[in-house]
Amino acid sequence: MASACDESLRLFLNRLRAHWDLSDADCRAILDLPTEQVFVRARAEVVVPGTKLFHAVLVCEGLVGRYGQNPDGKRLFTSLYLPGEMADLHSLVQPVGNWAIEALTDSILCQIPHTAMKRMIAHHPSVGMALWQDDANDWATTAERAGVLATRGALARLAHLLCELFARFRAAGLVEDHRFELPLNQSQLGEMLGMSSVHISRMLSELRRRNAVQMEGRTLTIISSDTLGALAGFEPSYLRLRPEYA
């Protein structure tokens, strides 16, 4: 039976192949990477700023996020990582953590040694280019989110985040009939959008009133992607998804 790390490596390989041509040997090198599977509780630190890192982290199950924190303790999550996504690929060339990464839910993570990744890149330069492209896509997503936070109102910010997550969950094969599990509470959503949990609750109610989404427990249903996208001003090209998911 395949392990969680095996499955997440396959998802990660699919991400890379969507943006870069890889040979069969390149693909096998990725799938053969040595891994260590670890379980992390919700709210546990995955990366602590200032610490030296010796491995990259691939998400197998759950959600993790990268955040910045003010001296007064207020946090803003700038990136969110789903199964099959690597949360700190940049650590391969910048091994001292600058940003904190936290498990937002109970999560299973796959740790991949930097030494093994560098050895693979040396023998498979096309994989190195694919990893570079994936990291560039990650930072493009972060830049898009910063622009949305700086220029749009509360309802549009929430709608944009939900549009993005819907597209990314769907690309990872985690959406069924326009429904997917979003195991984030309103406080966590607020930390991603610079809003209070009370404000998030009001905006979710407004999206329900407009028949855009329905939230039942942890399950989010996109009732009208057209309505949600129009409210968000969502244009998915920054995600660099395959055409069928754009």
Side-chain angles (χ1 to χ4, degrees):
M1 180 180 295
S3 70
C5 282
D6 290 337
E7 293 298 332
S8 60
L9 277 172
R10 285 189 175 87
L11 283 174
F12 185 59
L13 174 59
N14 288 340
R15 282 174 55 83
L16 298 181
R17 293 183 71 184
H19 312 298
W20 206 267
D21 289 331
L22 296 173
S23 69
D24 290 344
D26 293 333
C27 295
R28 176 50 53 190
I30 293 169
L31 295 176
D32 286 344
L33 281 167
T35 61
E36 181 180 356
Q37 183 175 308
V38 297
F39 174 77
V40 182
R41 289 285 185 189
R43 300 194 67 84
E45 295 283 351
V46 176
V47 172
V48 177
T51 58
K52 187 169 183 179
L53 307 174
F54 297 94
H55 56 257
V57 173
L58 181 64
V59 182
C60 300
E61 296 179 14
L63 297 172
V64 306
R66 184 173 61 228
Y67 70 89
Q69 187 169 22
N70 291 337
D72 63 3
K74 188 175 182 179
R75 306 192 304 176
L76 180 68
F77 280 86
T78 59
S79 300
L80 182 67
Y81 298 97
L82 285 57
E85 296 180 352
M86 200 167 286
D88 63 345
L89 182 55
H90 61 278
S91 69
L92 191 59
V93 294
Q94 189 177 359
V96 177
N98 289 329
W99 293 75
I101 297 178
E102 177 184 286
L104 296 168
T105 66
D106 287 352
S107 301
I108 296 176
L109 306 178
C110 174
Q111 297 179 341
I112 306 175
H114 286 166
T115 51
M117 294 185 70
K118 290 177 179 178
R119 186 165 54 247
M120 173 185 64
I121 291 169
H123 290 90
H124 301 272
S126 290
V127 175
M129 296 299 293
L131 293 174
W132 187 6
Q133 177 69 68
D134 193 65
D135 193 47
N137 293 347
D138 179 18
W139 287 104
T141 301
T142 299
E144 177 75 10
R145 184 166 299 164
V148 169
L149 290 177
T151 61
R152 302 184 194 181
L155 187 64
R157 298 206 304 269
L158 178 57
H160 194 279
L161 176 62
L162 296 182
C163 282
E164 178 187 305
L165 293 179
F166 177 57
R168 291 169 63 190
F169 272 87
R170 186 172 56 174
L174 300 174
V175 170
E176 183 176 351
D177 194 24
H178 287 80
R179 294 182 176 88
F180 62 98
E181 184 177 344
L182 184 62
L184 300 174
N185 58 40
Q186 292 178 3
S187 177
Q188 289 172 317
L189 287 172
E191 287 184 317
M192 293 176 191
L193 297 170
M195 293 189 276
S196 68
S197 57
V198 172
H199 205 174
I200 290 289
S201 179
R202 290 173 182 164
M203 295 302 100
L204 283 171
S205 295
E206 180 63 17
L207 291 177
R208 286 193 295 267
R209 188 186 70 80
R210 299 192 187 207
N211 292 318
V213 304
Q214 181 65 45
M215 191 83 177
E216 296 178 343
R218 290 181 153 195
T219 301
L220 180 70
T221 302
I222 306 299
I223 298 172
S224 173
S225 57
D226 289 340
T227 298
L228 192 65
L231 289 169
F234 184 67
E235 202 289 307
S237 61
Y238 71 95
L239 293 172
R240 306 294 195 273
L241 297 174
R242 295 192 296 273
E244 61 266 34
Y245 298 121

